[in-house]
Structure formats: C-alpha cells, structure tokens
Amino acid sequence: MKRFITITIAVVLMTLGLTTPANAASITVKVDAPYYTPNATSVDVVAMKSSGSRVYYTMTLQQKYTDGWKSKQSQSGEFVKSTPVKRFYTASMTNGQYRIKLTAYSSATKTKKIGTYYSKDFAVTRW
C-alpha cells in the first residue's frame, strides 16, 4: 500500500464572523509520494471529506512554470466521502514541480462552485 502525503485546505469563514454554508466541505487532496523518479508510472491521487453532501469535481494536474501554474491533464467525477484513486500517468510529464488542483461543485452542471483545493507540490524527474 502506498503512503499518502496529506494537505488539508478548508474554507475558513469564522475569522470573518460568518457561518459556514451547509454545502461547504473541508476537502483533503492526497498524492502518493513527494517525488517521482523515471521508474514511476503514475501519480495516484485521492480526495476525501468528512461530511456534507455529494460533491462534483474536476481534478487537474498542473505544472509550475516561471509565469505560474499550467494545467496539463484533467479528470472529473463525483463523490460523497472520497474519490476512487485517480491516476495521472507520468509518461507525458517532463521534469519539474507539479500539484493537483481540485475544483469542487455542489451541482452536476458544475455551476455552483464550493471551492478550490490543492495538493502539496511534488517533483517529477523523467531522466
């Protein structure tokens, strides 16, 4: 079993004196390693939350460039507690820093955005 690195990003509204909406969720995005060598075949990702209703999402692999993060691959789906393991294959990746961006929605049409969540950055070395 692979070990996952956890980063949790939650919607924090208490500091503003606001209440959290009923559909807001704390979503944790986990990747299976902090770096990937030329022998790695995929980056395995899981997103989880502890409560709330069904969440619809788009999970995007992003690469870091000098002028910001660029999207490379995307996968979509829905979950109540956690996503199935999503795989982003390293064969199409070049050397560099990457992260996973998850955009969550409360509707299947993806018109009601809940929030955006990120994994911790990870490195890919292809040669």
Side-chain angles (χ1 to χ4, degrees):
M1 176 156 240
K2 296 183 177 184
R3 197 179 91 220
F4 286 91
I5 297 167
T6 304
I7 183 164
T8 301
I9 302 172
V11 177
V12 180
L13 299 173
M14 292 186 314
T15 56
L16 300 173
L18 303 173
T19 57
T20 303
N23 63 351
S26 174
I27 297 176
T28 303
V29 181
K30 298 179 180 183
V31 295
D32 61 337
Y35 58 89
Y36 298 85
T37 64
N39 295 332
T41 57
S42 67
V43 175
D44 296 345
V45 184
V46 174
M48 300 181 301
K49 63 186 184 70
S50 59
S51 64
S53 56
R54 182 168 305 276
V55 170
Y56 303 87
Y57 68 90
T58 300
M59 191 180 287
T60 306
L61 173 72
Q62 295 185 316
Q63 185 174 9
K64 188 175 185 178
Y65 290 90
T66 54
D67 61 341
W69 294 92
K70 306 287 183 188
S71 297
K72 296 295 185 176
Q73 302 174 36
S74 289
Q75 298 185 37
S76 296
E78 59 185 79
F79 70 100
V80 174
K81 290 285 187 180
S82 75
T83 65
V85 174
K86 295 291 186 173
R87 289 192 167 86
F88 291 93
Y89 293 96
T90 59
S92 63
M93 296 181 197
T94 58
N95 289 345
Q97 287 295 114
Y98 291 83
R99 70 180 180 188
I100 302 297
K101 174 185 174 183
L102 184 139
T103 307
Y105 304 89
S106 62
S107 67
T109 57
K110 296 184 180 172
T111 55
K112 297 178 183 178
K113 187 175 175 181
I114 295 172
T116 303
Y117 307 87
Y118 297 92
S119 72
K120 185 174 181 180
D121 297 3
F122 54 91
V124 173
T125 305
R126 298 303 302 150
W127 52 83

